Amino acid sequence: MKRFASICSILFVCILISSHVGSPGVTFEGLLGNYRVLANINPPDVVPGTATLTIVLPDAPANLKVEARPVYWSAGLKGTPKADQILPVEGEAGRYEGELWFMEPGTSSVQIMLEENGEVYETIIPVMAMPTAQRDMPQELGMILAALGIFLVILMVTIISSAMSESIREPGEIRSKSSIRRNQIGIALGSICMLLILWAGKSWWDAEAETYSRYLFQPLSASTTLESTSEGNKLLLSIDPKELNQGRITRKLSYMVPDHGKLMHMFLIRKNDLDVFAHIHPERIDTLNYQVSIPDLPAGNYHIFADITRFTGFSETIVSELTIPEKGAFSFASQKEFVLGRDDTFTFSNPVSDQKPQMLDAAIMICGKPGIKKDLPGGYSAIWESETGEFDAGKLYTLDFALFDPEGQPADLEPYLGMMGHAVVLKHDGSVYIHLHPTGNYSMGSQQMLKDRFASGKIGFNNLPSGLSFPDSIDNVIRILNDLTDEERDELLMADMDHEKFYGEEHEEHSMVSFPYSFPEPGNYRIWIQVKINGEIVNGAFDVEVG
């Protein structure tokens, strides 16, 4: 019955596709015209499939037309259909919701357009629309399709048998033995024909299912080792080349491009207790191997997440693990004082296993809202402001943090790698990881590559730069960036940003950093925020339970 239902479902593929549920989404915050815009895109986890789009304009302006469309790197703006209007949600001023079809996997984006009084403002939000799941047919639908299939088979066999017997009998002629014989032969031949058709259909369906399963996206994995050298201790990350050709994706690492001025952003987080956090930036040895000096971290098992972006705008996270042995088995610093890279940082925090529930303190008021206060290294402090302290999965929030200096005065935040802050969100079990910025959780490098691509008018995959010379040119760019002062580099990194934070008059008395985010699923999370104050990178960890 189940196999027969799968054959019949060929006729109803569109029904199945339209029922797919989206995977964890992309968040965005920026300015379109004079309006602050928040957006959350939940791409489909099965492609083709529909993505859900939520757009929030906190100022709730009237008489605006909001449109959106998916735009692929390979097709460009000219090869993309007309945008769909995103309709306002009744009873929720400033909130718009809609659906967008993603027909092909790969590097894509969503173009959002706001029209007011004939003026159109637009932005591009990178979206990695990749198949990550394979759906089973609902049992109820299978039963309906099976019944319909049986009816169609019986009907077709009846038509064939009648064509061989009843159709050639004269009107009023009594059925003869030969007529009955032809009818029986027709039933047999019709049954054989239908069985062959069903067998061919099943074979095609199984082949398609197997092909699709091979195209399911899997994150790159790598092996990591520690090595003691004359220059100190190094972490070596090596990527398995067999994973670079997965399905329809060619994951050529020779086409990696910088994001925030770095080729790779690596995060080390000690498992279980999540009490050790490091943000470091490996350098390329060759396309498969990367190394970085590591600080004196305590022994334990560590999650490793390494974010990269490629020329096509495709960004992803390399996942690995690392075990740091006890000091007796591995001597850190190799008798040489360790010097942390100027953009690298690490911090220690309380173990989540000893974490007490964090409650909003009514005595701590920021912008008229209670907050959760955390003491940070160097005497600094941070307050996470929230109206209720409660968060629900799938809902779009802005996570607002106020920073203070050791004297309790508003801290003067400086850009850190071209941003006013960075954040990392990790579910306690390690199943959810995201690198956040004040503009959202997408790669700024990916957005820039998409904008440049669309502006060029190029389409297809036949105009990529040389894979032999491209890595050298990128390495040279990174060397130039590293030779600049922080001020010079930040000026370059922030030059093309179309995002301008504004908080209003109520925020003038203190320095804040905000991150738009939608928690993908319920559970316990730890959030690390990273800011730069007086030339020093300051880290802090907050915990939250999401319902």
Side-chain angles (χ1 to χ4, degrees):
M1 176 73 72
K2 184 175 180 181
R3 290 184 178 179
F4 190 82
S6 69
I7 304 304
C8 301
S9 64
I10 295 172
L11 303 174
F12 298 89
V13 169
C14 291
I15 297 176
L16 296 181
I17 291 176
S18 65
S19 67
H20 293 150
V21 180
S23 55
V26 178
T27 54
F28 165 87
E29 182 174 3
L31 287 179
L32 289 184
N34 297 317
Y35 301 112
R36 178 180 169 217
V37 176
L38 293 169
N40 186 50
I41 305 165
N42 286 309
D45 57 2
V46 180
V47 181
T50 55
T52 59
L53 171 63
T54 300
I55 299 174
V56 177
L57 283 73
D59 295 334
N63 302 319
L64 280 184
K65 183 179 181 180
V66 182
E67 295 183 321
R69 60 176 177 169
V71 186
Y72 284 86
W73 185 89
S74 59
L77 294 174
K78 293 182 179 180
T80 301
K82 184 180 178 181
D84 296 324
Q85 185 172 357
I86 308 302
L87 301 176
V89 177
E90 186 176 352
E92 297 187 48
R95 185 181 180 92
Y96 300 76
E97 292 182 351
E99 293 185 343
L100 299 173
W101 269 94
F102 283 82
M103 299 302 298
E104 290 287 338
T107 306
S108 58
S109 63
V110 169
Q111 183 185 37
I112 296 178
M113 292 162 282
L114 265 62
E115 182 178 348
E116 182 183 35
N117 299 325
E119 293 287 336
V120 179
Y121 309 97
E122 59 186 51
T123 190
I124 293 291
I125 305 173
V127 176
M128 306 301 113
M130 299 301 299
T132 58
Q134 190 168 11
R135 296 296 181 199
D136 292 328
M137 182 184 300
Q139 185 177 3
E140 296 79 5
L141 179 60
M143 294 175 65
I144 294 173
L145 293 176
L148 178 60
I150 292 171
F151 171 75
L152 292 175
V153 168
I154 294 174
L155 183 63
M156 183 58 69
V157 171
T158 302
I159 292 173
I160 294 173
S161 64
S162 296
M164 294 181 63
S165 59
E166 302 299 327
S167 66
I168 60 176
R169 185 162 55 91
E170 294 294 334
E173 180 183 346
I174 299 175
R175 293 184 66 183
S176 62
K177 291 184 178 180
S178 61
S179 176
I180 296 173
R181 179 65 176 169
R182 287 195 301 270
N183 182 265
Q184 293 172 341
I185 294 174
I187 292 174
L189 291 176
S191 299
I192 293 173
C193 289
M194 291 307 301
L195 287 174
L196 289 174
I197 291 173
L198 291 175
W199 175 82
K202 180 182 183 303
S203 299
W204 171 81
W205 183 270
D206 290 344
E208 287 294 311
E210 183 181 354
T211 300
Y212 182 86
S213 65
R214 293 200 303 268
Y215 293 156
L216 290 178
F217 178 77
Q218 297 292 335
L220 291 176
S221 61
S223 60
T224 52
T225 56
L226 293 173
E227 181 178 324
S228 181
T229 72
S230 59
E231 299 178 352
N233 296 291
K234 306 283 187 178
L235 182 150
L236 302 178
L237 182 142
S238 298
I239 300 172
D240 186 349
K242 291 184 294 184
E243 296 185 357
L244 299 182
N245 260 323
Q246 189 236 339
R248 295 173 180 162
I249 308 170
T250 301
R251 308 165 105 174
K252 294 183 178 179
L253 296 180
S254 57
Y255 286 110
M256 286 171 58
V257 296
D259 183 30
H260 304 293
K262 300 294 183 181
L263 199 62
M264 180 181 290
H265 293 263
M266 179 182 287
F267 298 90
L268 283 76
I269 303 171
R270 187 154 69 167
K271 292 183 177 183
N272 301 322
D273 279 336
L274 310 184
D275 55 343
V276 183
F277 172 89
H279 180 182
I280 54 181
H281 303 92
E283 297 178 349
R284 175 161 49 193
I285 301 174
D286 54 47
T287 55
L288 296 176
N289 299 285
Y290 303 81
Q291 72 173 11
V292 62
S293 297
I294 63 170
D296 189 1
L297 300 178
N301 297 317
Y302 285 76
H303 296 289
I304 292 184
F305 305 101
D307 298 331
I308 61 171
T309 299
R310 288 193 288 280
F311 178 80
T312 58
F314 195 89
S315 60
E316 62 180 309
T317 299
I318 301 170
V319 180
S320 186
E321 298 179 346
L322 174 69
T323 298
I324 296 181
E326 298 291 342
K327 297 300 191 299
F330 186 83
S331 176
F332 277 86
S334 297
Q335 301 178 347
K336 180 177 180 178
E337 184 178 355
F338 173 75
V339 178
L340 197 65
R342 67 169 175 170
D343 301 307
D344 296 347
T345 179
F346 68 101
T347 189
F348 303 95
S349 55
N350 59 293
V352 295
S353 57
D354 297 336
Q355 177 66 32
K356 297 179 181 179
Q358 294 184 356
M359 305 296 293
L360 291 176
D361 190 344
I364 302 173
M365 299 295 291
I366 300 294
C367 308
K369 302 176 184 177
I372 300 172
K373 184 176 181 180
K374 277 279 189 174
D375 293 327
L376 309 181
Y380 299 101
S381 60
I383 295 177
W384 181 0
E385 73 165 47
S386 173
E387 294 182 353
T388 64
E390 298 179 354
F391 296 87
D392 296 323
K395 186 176 180 180
L396 182 60
Y397 297 94
T398 54
L399 311 180
D400 300 323
F401 299 88
L403 281 300
F404 298 89
D405 64 19
E407 287 72 39
Q409 299 300 313
D412 185 12
L413 299 185
E414 304 166 3
Y416 171 39
L417 292 175
M419 285 286 180
M420 296 311 295
H422 293 252
V424 168
V425 179
L426 185 70
K427 196 175 179 184
H428 285 188
D429 61 5
S431 61
V432 175
Y433 155 84
I434 201 69
H435 182 183
L436 277 176
H437 309 109
T439 54
N441 63 357
Y442 60 91
S443 161
M444 293 296 295
S446 177
Q447 184 188 55
Q448 191 59 51
M449 297 309 298
L450 286 163
K451 287 182 175 180
D452 293 345
R453 171 71 171 187
F454 298 155
S456 72
K458 295 179 180 179
I459 60 175
F461 293 91
N462 298 322
N463 43 37
L464 295 175
S466 169
L468 297 177
S469 59
F470 189 75
D472 293 334
S473 64
I474 293 298
D475 289 342
N476 188 50
V477 169
I478 292 176
R479 280 192 293 268
I480 293 174
L481 289 173
N482 288 338
D483 290 339
L484 298 176
T485 64
D486 288 351
E487 293 77 12
E488 292 172 331
R489 186 183 59 180
D490 287 327
E491 184 177 356
L492 282 175
L493 295 178
M494 301 178 76
D496 296 325
M497 290 180 59
D498 59 5
H499 176 80
E500 178 184 342
K501 295 296 295 182
F502 62 97
Y503 296 101
E505 295 180 358
E506 72 274 16
H507 289 88
E508 290 180 349
E509 296 182 356
H510 54 267
S511 191
M512 293 200 63
V513 61
S514 294
F515 306 94
Y517 189 57
S518 174
F519 294 96
E521 57 189 50
N524 294 308
Y525 293 79
R526 171 157 284 192
I527 302 172
W528 290 268
I529 63 169
Q530 298 186 289
V531 295
K532 199 170 186 179
I533 308 174
N534 295 326
E536 179 183 358
I537 303 169
V538 180
N539 304 283
F542 290 81
D543 294 284
V544 61
E545 182 177 351
V546 177

